[in-house]
């Protein structure tokens, strides 16, 4: 049994949840991908490396901007938020925090819905693919799936 | 019985994870910085690549030509109307080339379609040929690039090109009828095949007197490259001539012919109806 008395150790804390570590790692990769696309969209990078699809043409489409802000920049914001929350959620005492699980679930759910919409646009409207956009869609979907167990275990 | 606390604090079990995150972050930043670094090889520092442009190819495949047939410089451009980089090039650099090289008699400019995999790449290439049929290629060419954003994602781009065609003085009905037919499919296919045979991978790709040059980021970079390939065409270190100036007389004969091509071949690029 654990004791709070000074000089005595608690029971060994539960290992940090691997799923949340994976969420943080994926969010970091997603952040890098979105940053890359944002740098292109903002004109800092001259061209996109695109071995599959037509990344630059997709980025030039009207669907690459939302409310006057490049979609990739929205992605940067979302991934930063997910990364920060996931890291906070790895700290002792926050592992089972309900707000962490809910925030990760909700943010990634919105991300999956929006990525799904953009993927539909790529497939059926402009009929062109951007490999980095698809990569981001896969990442946010994985984050969403990994956030589900945390939601069930939250107290 | 309570256990005594250990003497040294245990390291956080998250430390290896933070190390992994840090490494991924550093690797990502390194890749991004590499992408951001200006390409020092672009433009003048890259030696032009000789290509095998045979007289046969030039005779068989016709591009849209502008400028004097006997100009000391021949510039070939391979481009796609739906490619964003081509639109940028057409808006920012091509007009200056026309003004300072082509209209001054220094260069002849030949445009070849090189349709990529965009939705309307081939259709737009044929539309350009249809405009050429009515003798308004260059006006339509400039306008269709300038308005790329208006038609590139439209399900019926011909309905967008029609008014553009009318705007540059084309018979809109004839133009639309031409685009809706499969006319000029053969010419565009040949143009594309010529690009493939010359090693054109992306667009826009430029050849100056038969030598492939890196796509310039500015007119100045392009002129610097052209001066290296055909120094005589500029009459030494003269500044770019004003529009309407006469072509300089001094010409480097060795630089006028595309590598592997007969000197007389460039005239084959003209397709004026």
């Amino acid at each position: 049994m654990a004791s709070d008395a000074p000089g005595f150790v608690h029971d060994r804390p539960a290992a940090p949840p691997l799923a949340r570590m994976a969420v943080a790692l994926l969010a970091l990769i997603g952040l890098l991908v979105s940053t890359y696309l944002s740098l292109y969209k903002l004109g800092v990078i001259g061209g996109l490396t695109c071995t599959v699809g037509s990344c630059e043409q997709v980025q030039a489409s009207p669907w690459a901007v939302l409310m006057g802000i490049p979609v990739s920049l929205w992605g940067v914001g979302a991934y930063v938020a997910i990364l920060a929350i996931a890291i906070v959620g790895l700290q002792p005492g926050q592992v089972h925090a309900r707000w962490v699980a809910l925030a990760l679930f909700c943010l990634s759910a919105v991300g999956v819905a929006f990525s799904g919409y953009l993927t539909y646009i790529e497939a059926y409207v402009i009929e062109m693919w951007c490999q980095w956009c698809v990569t981001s869609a896969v990442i946010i979907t994985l984050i969403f799936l990994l956030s589900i167990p945390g939601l069930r275990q939250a107290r | 019985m309570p256990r005594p606390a250990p003497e040294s604090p245990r390291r956080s079990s998250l430390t290896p994870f933070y190390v992994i995150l840090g490494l991924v972050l550093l690797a990502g930043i390194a890749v991004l910085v590499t992408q951001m670094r200006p390409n020092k090889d672009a433009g003048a520092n890259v030696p032009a690549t000789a290509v095998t442009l045979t007289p046969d190819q030039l005779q068989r495949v016709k591009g849209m030509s502008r400028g004097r047939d006997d100009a000391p410089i021949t510039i070939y451009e391979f481009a796609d109307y739906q490619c964003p980089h081509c639109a940028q090039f057409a808006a920012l650099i091509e007009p200056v080339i026309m003004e300072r090289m082509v209209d001054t008699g220094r260069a002849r400019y030949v445009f070849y379609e090189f349709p990529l995999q965009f939705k309307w790449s081939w259709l737009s290439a044929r539309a350009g040929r249809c405009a050429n049929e009515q003798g308004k290629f260059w006006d339509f060419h400039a306008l269709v690039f300038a308005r790329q954003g208006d038609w590139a994602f439209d399900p019926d781009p011909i309905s967008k090109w029609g008014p553009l065609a009318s705007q540059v003085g084309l018979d809109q009905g004839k133009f639309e009828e031409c685009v809706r037919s499969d006319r000029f499919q053969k010419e565009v296919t040949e143009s594309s095949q010529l690009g493939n045979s010359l090693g054109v991978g992306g667009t826009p790709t430029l050849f100056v007197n038969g030598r492939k040059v890196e796509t310039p980021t500015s007119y100045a970079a392009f002129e610097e490259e052209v001066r290296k390939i055909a120094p005589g065409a500029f009459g030494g270190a003269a500044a770019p001539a004003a529009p309407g100036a006469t072509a300089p007389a001094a010409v480097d004969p060795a630089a006028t012919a595309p590598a592997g091509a007969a000197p007389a071949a460039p005239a084959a690029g003209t397709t004026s109806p």
Side-chain angles (χ1 to χ4, degrees):
Chain A
M1 188 68 188
S3 166
D4 287 328
F8 295 90
V9 292
H10 292 265
D11 282 346
R12 184 177 177 144
L18 283 177
R20 195 153 290 164
M21 287 183 174
V23 165
L25 190 58
L26 285 167
L28 178 60
I29 296 168
L31 174 60
L32 291 167
V33 170
S34 322
T35 304
Y36 178 52
L37 291 175
S38 300
L39 290 174
Y40 168 75
K41 196 72 183 162
L42 298 173
V44 181
I45 288 175
L48 289 174
T49 302
C50 195
T51 50
V52 179
S54 316
C55 301
E56 292 175 1
Q57 188 68 6
V58 171
Q59 288 299 311
S61 77
W63 294 275
V65 175
L66 178 68
M67 291 191 282
I69 297 171
V71 165
S72 50
L73 219 48
W74 286 101
V76 169
Y79 283 122
V80 165
I82 291 173
L83 177 62
I85 294 169
I87 288 177
V88 169
L90 284 167
Q91 306 311 308
Q94 298 292 336
V95 171
H96 294 298
R98 187 165 181 75
W99 75 270
V100 171
L102 265 177
L104 289 178
F105 178 80
C106 292
L107 269 174
S108 58
V110 172
V112 166
F114 191 58
S115 288
Y117 166 71
L118 292 177
T119 306
Y120 165 81
I121 295 290
E122 283 180 278
Y124 296 106
V125 180
I126 57 180
E127 296 179 22
M128 279 180 268
W129 293 95
C130 161
Q131 66 183 49
W132 300 110
C133 310
V134 174
T135 303
S136 178
V138 170
I139 288 173
I140 197 68
T141 305
L142 289 175
I143 290 176
F144 173 71
L145 294 174
L146 287 166
S147 74
I148 294 173
L151 197 66
R152 286 199 314 224
Q153 292 158 8
R155 49 174 186 251
Chain B
M1 187 70 183
R3 288 170 287 152
E7 287 177 5
S8 59
R10 202 159 52 86
R11 285 178 69 193
S12 162
S13 59
L14 285 171
T15 305
F17 171 69
Y18 289 142
V19 170
I20 292 170
L21 273 191
L23 289 175
V24 171
L25 181 63
L26 284 177
I29 290 173
V31 171
L32 289 176
V33 168
T34 310
Q35 296 284 324
M36 287 164 65
R37 191 178 300 158
N39 184 5
K40 288 180 182 171
D41 293 339
N45 292 339
V46 169
T49 314
V51 295
T52 51
L53 201 56
T54 66
D56 266 3
Q57 284 173 317
L58 285 168
Q59 291 294 340
R60 185 171 54 80
V61 184
K62 299 184 189 313
M64 269 61 67
S65 176
R66 177 169 162 176
R68 277 174 32 189
D69 282 353
D70 61 346
I73 302 163
T74 305
I75 301 164
Y76 296 95
E77 181 193 359
F78 286 83
D80 178 333
Y81 285 114
Q82 206 175 341
C83 137
H85 281 296
C86 300
Q88 258 184 339
F89 177 81
L92 303 175
I93 301 175
E94 192 185 290
V96 192
I97 295 174
M98 293 299 179
E99 182 184 289
R100 299 191 184 179
M101 291 189 186
V102 178
D103 295 346
T104 56
R106 286 175 173 151
R108 190 168 67 93
Y109 199 93
V110 188
F111 180 86
Y112 286 102
E113 304 91 346
F114 191 74
L116 299 174
Q117 75 282 37
F118 302 129
K119 194 171 179 180
W120 304 126
S121 291
W122 284 84
L123 192 64
S124 56
R126 291 201 282 107
R129 293 271 171 172
C130 289
N132 185 58
E133 188 182 40
Q134 294 189 49
K136 293 280 185 182
F137 173 77
W138 293 102
D139 294 338
F140 181 77
H141 164 92
L143 202 52
V144 87
F145 266 136
R147 301 285 174 80
Q148 189 189 71
D150 294 344
W151 58 262
F153 302 100
D154 196 283
D156 180 17
I158 300 175
S159 67
K160 296 287 170 81
W161 295 332
L164 299 185
S166 175
Q167 199 177 323
V168 299
L170 294 172
D171 179 325
Q172 186 174 338
K174 276 174 70 179
F175 168 81
E176 290 190 9
E177 185 193 336
C178 171
V179 182
R180 290 187 198 282
S181 73
D182 62 355
R183 219 181 312 165
F184 299 118
Q185 182 72 16
K186 177 174 169 286
E187 286 78 359
V188 173
T189 304
E190 285 177 349
S191 174
S192 173
Q193 286 171 349
L194 174 63
N196 280 323
S197 72
L198 299 178
V200 174
T203 54
T205 292
L206 297 169
F207 294 88
V208 175
N209 286 350
R211 292 182 174 274
K212 192 176 181 179
V213 297
E214 287 290 314
T215 305
T217 51
S218 66
Y219 171 76
F222 181 68
E223 187 182 309
E224 197 180 331
E225 186 69 9
V226 172
R227 280 175 181 273
K228 283 182 185 170
I229 294 170
F234 287 87
T246 53
V251 173
D252 177 4
T256 58
T270 309
T271 62
S272 301

